[in-house]
Amino acid sequence: MRELLRQGPVHVTLIDPDKQSPMEGARIARAAQEGGTNFILIGGTSGVDLQMLDATIQEVKEATSLPIITFPTSSAIISHHSHAILFMSLMNSSNVRYVIREASLGAEFIRDEGIEGLSTGYVVVEPGMLVGEVGEVTLIPRDDLRTARGYALAAEMFGFSLFYLEGGSGVPEPVPTEMISAVKDVLTIPLVVGGGIDTPEKAGDAVNAGADIIVTGNIVERGEGTEEAVRAIIEEMERRWKIR
Ligand code: 1GP
């Protein structure tokens, strides 16, 4: 990933195992690869069990040559089939379970299975959607740049390797570009932005503001046209990266 980030922005396709069959997930992943996506992220906020996760990872592995990262929901659902895992702290949760406890419960398994853990400081911004609710998040207000910057800096100082600004899946408007810029200003680690990025313009604006890695989920769940949708987003990300 570090190598890719030297060359340009990175696009990640999120597949929620709860939303389609493993076969369909694999079809989506293949189309996203054709469209140019760099990584497949597999996980969902609720309703995912280990069997479902394992099956989707295995099908996606068969169908693509992309690295597969899992987006964990709990320490009980960690698949040894994935290449890496977002080993994360939901920094602005009010429940210590999501801040650090789940990570502590999963740490030994991840180490013993030799899964690469990408340590990630993850924060959810208003309105937060389902992840805000399930994660018992004290949401960052959309205009509170200072709080967002504080979390970013804390993530950096804790030694996390990624900082992730999440607007919530399906949110009508992604994290504001002003917040992306403010956060980028204090970071040296890569900045991940996701939630509601469903057009090339929104992806381009996020990259222009400072996002290094864009995660899109909903656009690939629409059935047809995945390859074209992903390609259009990546082209715009690259164009805006060059002029930022
Ligand atoms: C990943 O929650 C996002 O950060 C995915 O959001 O489904 O709205 O693309 P979308």
Side-chain angles (χ1 to χ4, degrees):
M1 187 179 289
R2 242 173 254 127
E3 187 48 45
L4 281 177
L5 283 168
R6 266 193 282 275
Q7 297 158 23
V10 164
H11 180 263
V12 177
T13 296
L14 174 65
I15 293 177
D16 183 343
D18 189 35
K19 296 210 174 138
Q20 66 284 299
S21 68
M23 286 290 279
E24 179 59 9
R27 188 201 63 75
I28 292 171
R30 190 167 48 239
Q33 177 169 25
E34 298 292 323
T37 201
N38 303 107
F39 292 89
I40 302 292
L41 184 60
I42 301 184
T45 305
S46 67
V48 181
D49 62 31
L50 185 56
Q51 205 188 352
M52 214 183 241
L53 180 67
D54 271 341
T56 300
I57 293 174
Q58 278 165 314
E59 291 291 342
V60 170
K61 254 189 185 168
E62 295 262 313
T64 75
S65 54
L66 293 172
I68 299 169
I69 306 170
T70 48
F71 204 150
T73 34
S74 87
S75 56
I77 310 174
I78 301 175
S79 172
H80 63 274
H81 296 293
S82 69
H83 300 111
I85 184 167
L86 289 187
F87 188 63
M88 62 189 209
S89 164
L90 175 43
M91 297 176 82
N92 60 334
S93 173
S94 353
N95 188 338
V96 70
R97 177 175 161 210
Y98 300 116
V99 179
I100 194 70
R101 181 79 182 132
E102 287 293 336
S104 76
L105 294 171
E108 205 160 349
F109 180 79
I110 290 169
R111 184 201 60 186
D112 292 350
E113 292 292 328
I115 304 168
E116 188 184 353
L118 303 169
S119 62
T120 305
Y122 181 76
V123 294
V124 184
V125 177
E126 267 180 356
M129 313 304 276
L130 188 62
V131 67
E133 216 175 286
V134 173
E136 297 170 49
V137 173
T138 304
L139 299 166
I140 304 178
R142 289 176 76 81
D143 58 357
D144 191 352
L145 307 186
R146 194 177 167 164
T147 297
R149 259 202 317 267
Y151 277 116
L153 203 50
E156 172 116 15
M157 290 162 75
F158 271 123
F160 287 116
S161 35
L162 297 170
F163 183 67
Y164 195 142
L165 270 178
E166 173 70 78
S169 181
V171 68
E173 287 304 320
V175 173
T177 51
E178 296 76 21
M179 186 176 282
I180 297 173
S181 306
V183 160
K184 179 66 179 174
D185 240 20
V186 298
L187 282 180
T188 63
I189 56 175
L191 173 58
V192 187
V193 179
I197 301 179
D198 53 8
T199 64
E201 292 67 35
K202 288 179 188 171
D205 289 348
V207 166
N208 188 57
D212 301 297
I213 301 170
I214 298 287
V215 182
T216 62
N218 271 328
I219 58 148
V220 298
E221 286 159 16
R222 290 181 187 154
E224 292 312 301
T226 299
E227 181 182 332
E228 294 70 24
V230 169
R231 182 172 299 118
I233 281 185
I234 293 173
E235 278 171 8
E236 187 60 9
M237 284 167 58
E238 282 167 357
R239 194 180 73 77
R240 301 290 293 276
W241 169 284
K242 284 192 194 119
I243 55 174
R244 87 177 182 187

